Each structure stands twice: as structure tokens, then as C-alpha cells.
Amino acid sequence: MFDIDALRLLVTVAGTGSFTKAAVSLNYTQSAVSRRIASLEQVAGGPLFERLPRGVRLNPAGHALYRHALDVLDRLVRAEQELAVLHQGYGGLLRVGAFSTANIALVPVGLRAFRQARPDVEVIAVEGRSGTLTARLADGVLDLAVVSDYPSGLPSADGVTTTPLCEDELLVALPREHLLAGADVLDLLELREEAWLQDAYGDRPTMLADACARAGFAPKKVIRIAEWTGKFGYVAAGLGVALVPSLAAWAVPDGLVLVPLTDPALRRTLHVALPATPLPAALTLRGLLRTAAVDGWRPQAPRSGHPS
């Protein structure tokens, strides 16, 4: 492996044409320059300079290494500049993750405000489950993630901190022709005969299982559907009902209605997750997401069987 300082010395000697002048330029002694160049030549496998009566010049091997040294040193300078800009919160990349329903309205509103506040920062957005996003933060793949404690609790990972963002009410999605679709509010017990559409159920505690237990029943049937489009399709076909967060209200198709539930515990909490040493741009986005969570994204809450 070539030492970076030795490559800088090679470029300086080539530019000055003299060990002596290079030594003066770098505040080295001439003997130190000669030793460093000799060590570099040993690593390179042979001489890099022609020793002349007055100075030195690159030989063919020296020219080859010189070109690569210029490229390496230029890349390092650009890396230093990019990192300096990044750590100041201006420019660079910001890698943002969020779960699917957060990407319907909340996160886009926050990112729109961020683009106005930091137009020089390029955002790379990815979607995933909260547990996966938290793990990617811990691995350094993401700079910020919006995660939630639904359906099975808030995920955690070493080196990742979370701060609450907002609460999100869970509603029940029913087909418009359902007998209970016109209700202002429903007790979960009224839905005890329904099949439930749920991504995860039975393999670990879930918010739905806990709520049904509080209401005094267990679901007759659980159909495991992961994606929201699939859940909406099943509900529209009358094959089951589903808990839907108010975050997703704008994406609910016209054939469905959302009805509030009486259980006050049927709500989830959204969090902003950050690595232990967050980027300034990530902190800026966290603040803008908090603003969006307060007043920037919520649709009118659906009541009396009328979807938003």
C-alpha cells in the first residue's frame, strides 16, 4: 500500500525537480526527502526518478505513479470538502427512511419544507418497515428514519435514539355497504364476527390482539396481508376489516369508509430515529417533520362513516 504522505512527496519532488527544493517546500531536511523517496521506490518495486547532475526527473515508472497520485490526492481533497459541507448541514446527501403510511402525507410535507430550507442537500428516500429502518440506521446506511410502535412495539438498536413525533389514531376500514359503515363510532366488540386483515398476528404481541383481548374476544379469523393496497382491496370486496391509521386516510379508496373506535389505546406513536451523532441536515429535517406533524399533514378526521 502506498502511503498518502509519500505520494504527496512524490508530486512535490516531481513539481520542483529537486529533492532540495521539495525539502524546503515541505519543511523537511534533504536527507529525510531522500529516505522517503527511497522507501517509496522500494514499495513501487524500482526507481521512480532519474538522478541528474542538477536535480531529478520522473522516469516512466515515476510518471505512471505520478498520474495515479494526482488522482488519489484530488479525490481526497474533494472528499474533505464534501465532508466539511456535509457536517455543516449544507450540501451532500441525506438518506431518509420511512414506513409506508408515513410516506403518504407526513414525510412528503416535511421533505417539501426541507427542500425549500436546504435546496443544496440531496435527499435519498427509502421505504421499509420500522424494524428494518432502525437496523439500517444502526449500520450507518440511513441518516434519519420515521418509525412507529405499530403493530408490535417500537424497535430499538444500539446507537440509535428516538424522539416522539406525534400520535396517530387507528380507525377501522369497512366497505361502504357494511351495516356499521354509517356509525359515528364503534366498539371493537361490535366487530367480533369479522375477519381481520393484519400483516403480523399470533407470532408476537400486536396492538390488534391486545385491543381484542380488552374487548373480551379473539378474532375469528386473521388474513395476513402485508401491503395497504391489498388490505384495501380485501375490505372493498367484503372479505374482512382492517385497522387503518389516520396517516393513511388520504389513500383510502372511495369504496371504503373509516370509522373511529371507542378504545383510546388504539393509537400508535410515530418517532424520529437518529444515529448517535446525527448530521445537522438530519436535525433540520427532524424539526420540519415536527412542524408537519402539528399542522401540516392531517386530513380532516373521518366521522359518521364519511371517508376523507
Side-chain angles (χ1 to χ4, degrees):
M1 296 294 292
F2 293 106
D3 180 78
I4 297 299
D5 288 337
L7 294 180
R8 289 194 178 99
L9 180 58
L10 170 75
V11 171
T12 303
V13 171
T16 60
S18 165
F19 287 176
T20 301
K21 292 179 180 178
V24 172
S25 174
L26 298 172
N27 199 27
Y28 288 173
T29 64
Q30 182 176 349
S31 60
V33 171
S34 298
R35 288 195 303 271
R36 294 295 301 275
I37 291 298
S39 297
L40 180 60
E41 289 178 325
Q42 185 176 7
V43 173
L48 299 171
F49 291 93
E50 296 178 13
R51 272 68 172 178
L52 305 173
R54 293 184 179 180
V56 296
R57 68 184 178 194
L58 293 168
N59 64 17
H63 276 292
L65 184 57
Y66 175 78
R67 291 194 300 270
H68 289 291
L70 288 179
D71 184 50
V72 168
L73 296 174
D74 178 66
R75 286 176 178 268
L76 286 175
V77 169
R78 284 186 285 158
E80 290 171 356
Q81 293 171 343
E82 182 176 339
L83 288 174
V85 167
L86 189 65
H87 288 300
Q88 292 167 5
Y90 296 92
L93 298 176
L94 184 66
R95 302 161 300 175
V96 178
F99 57 91
S100 58
T101 51
N103 278 331
I104 292 175
L106 173 61
V107 171
V109 169
L111 288 178
R112 180 178 60 193
F114 182 80
R115 184 175 61 184
Q116 295 170 349
R118 294 285 186 268
D120 49 345
V121 177
E122 180 182 353
V123 174
I124 297 176
V126 300
E127 185 173 289
R129 299 172 187 267
S130 292
T132 301
L133 297 174
T134 302
R136 288 181 176 178
L137 272 172
D139 291 340
V141 179
L142 292 176
D143 302 308
L144 177 149
V146 177
V147 298
S148 87
D149 57 2
Y150 179 82
S152 303
L154 186 67
S156 62
D158 291 340
V160 175
T161 61
T162 58
T163 55
L165 184 60
C166 64
E167 285 194 340
D168 188 21
E169 182 183 7
L170 295 174
L171 313 163
V172 63
L174 305 172
R176 186 175 294 277
E177 63 274 11
H178 195 285
L179 292 177
L180 300 175
D184 289 333
V185 64
L186 287 173
D187 189 291
L188 203 59
L189 188 61
E190 298 178 81
L191 301 168
R192 60 187 178 278
E193 299 299 321
E194 302 288 346
W196 286 88
L197 304 161
Q198 176 81 11
D199 180 10
Y201 195 95
D203 50 354
R204 59 188 186 276
T206 63
M207 198 172 291
L208 173 62
D210 291 343
C212 290
R214 285 194 300 273
F217 74 99
K220 291 180 59 177
K221 183 178 182 181
V222 174
I223 303 173
R224 299 191 67 159
I225 303 292
E227 300 298 330
W228 287 104
T229 51
K231 291 178 183 177
F232 293 155
Y234 271 63
V235 173
L239 299 176
V241 299
L243 290 179
V244 176
S246 62
L247 272 175
W250 286 351
V252 173
D254 290 339
L256 275 59
V257 296
L258 298 180
V259 183
L261 295 161
T262 56
D263 188 341
L266 276 173
R267 58 186 59 244
R268 63 180 179 179
T269 303
L270 277 62
H271 298 255
V272 175
L274 293 170
T277 307
L279 293 174
L283 296 176
T284 298
L285 178 56
R286 181 178 65 178
L288 294 171
L289 286 169
R290 284 173 172 169
T291 300
V294 171
D295 56 15
W297 67 271
R298 291 183 182 275
Q300 183 178 355
R303 292 292 184 267
S304 300
H306 299 292
S308 295

